[in-house]
Amino acid sequence: MASIFSRIVAGEIPCYKVAETDTCLAFLDINPMAKGHLLCIPKKEIDYIFDLDDAQFTDLQLFSKRVAKALKQAVQCIRVGVAVQGLDVPHAHIHLIPLNSPDDLDFKRADRPKFTPEEFQQLAAEIARHF
């Protein structure tokens, strides 16, 4: 069965797309730890990031770097944090999270911000504008 991310890539499930290439996709996390928290994924479904071949791994990392730079221009933050947890969805992915404090990178954080669909759309468009 295809992962939720593969279904997003296939267009079966909508997302707030930020950036896309032939091989990678970036979209906002719908349960963000901070405003602008997004995910970068390879379009090809591979469960574990370290199972990507060298070319795929490099491609995803360079794509994530470009997206992080666009994110930093669109969302006020000190840095953009990077996390690879990979336990919730069996599809390699990189979290990019705007950081203003160490607590912004806490996956157990209970006080996550909430956004309306319109706010997500506006934020995605703003980040995409800088990509």
Side-chain angles (χ1 to χ4, degrees):
M1 184 171 168
S3 76
I4 190 168
F5 293 166
S6 290
R7 295 181 66 207
I8 288 170
V9 169
E12 297 170 13
I13 296 174
C15 71
Y16 299 103
K17 186 184 340 181
V18 168
E20 183 174 22
T21 65
D22 290 342
T23 57
C24 296
L25 177 67
F27 52 91
L28 292 173
D29 191 308
I30 59 169
N31 187 26
M33 292 189 287
K35 179 181 179 181
H37 175 181
L38 55 84
L39 303 167
C40 295
I41 67 168
K43 288 183 176 178
K44 182 177 180 181
E45 183 175 315
I46 295 176
D47 179 6
Y48 184 49
I49 196 165
F50 296 120
D51 286 339
L52 295 169
D53 67 32
D54 290 350
Q56 293 167 324
F57 183 82
T58 300
D59 184 45
L60 180 60
Q61 292 291 336
L62 292 174
F63 175 76
S64 298
K65 179 180 178 180
R66 285 184 60 204
V67 172
K69 288 180 180 223
L71 177 58
K72 181 122 176 36
Q73 289 182 330
V75 176
Q76 185 176 1
C77 61
I78 297 169
R79 299 239 168 137
V80 174
V82 178
V84 177
Q85 187 185 38
L87 297 173
D88 293 336
V89 178
H91 190 129
H93 58 284
I94 295 173
H95 293 263
L96 297 179
I97 305 152
L99 300 177
N100 290 302
S101 81
D103 295 336
D104 292 338
L105 195 55
D106 181 0
F107 281 90
K108 294 181 183 179
R109 146 179 214 179
D111 63 334
R112 292 178 178 224
K114 302 291 182 207
F115 301 98
T116 66
E118 294 78 19
E119 289 170 323
F120 273 122
Q121 288 171 346
Q122 184 178 25
L123 180 57
E126 180 62 18
I127 298 166
R129 189 172 71 81
H130 294 285
F131 182 71

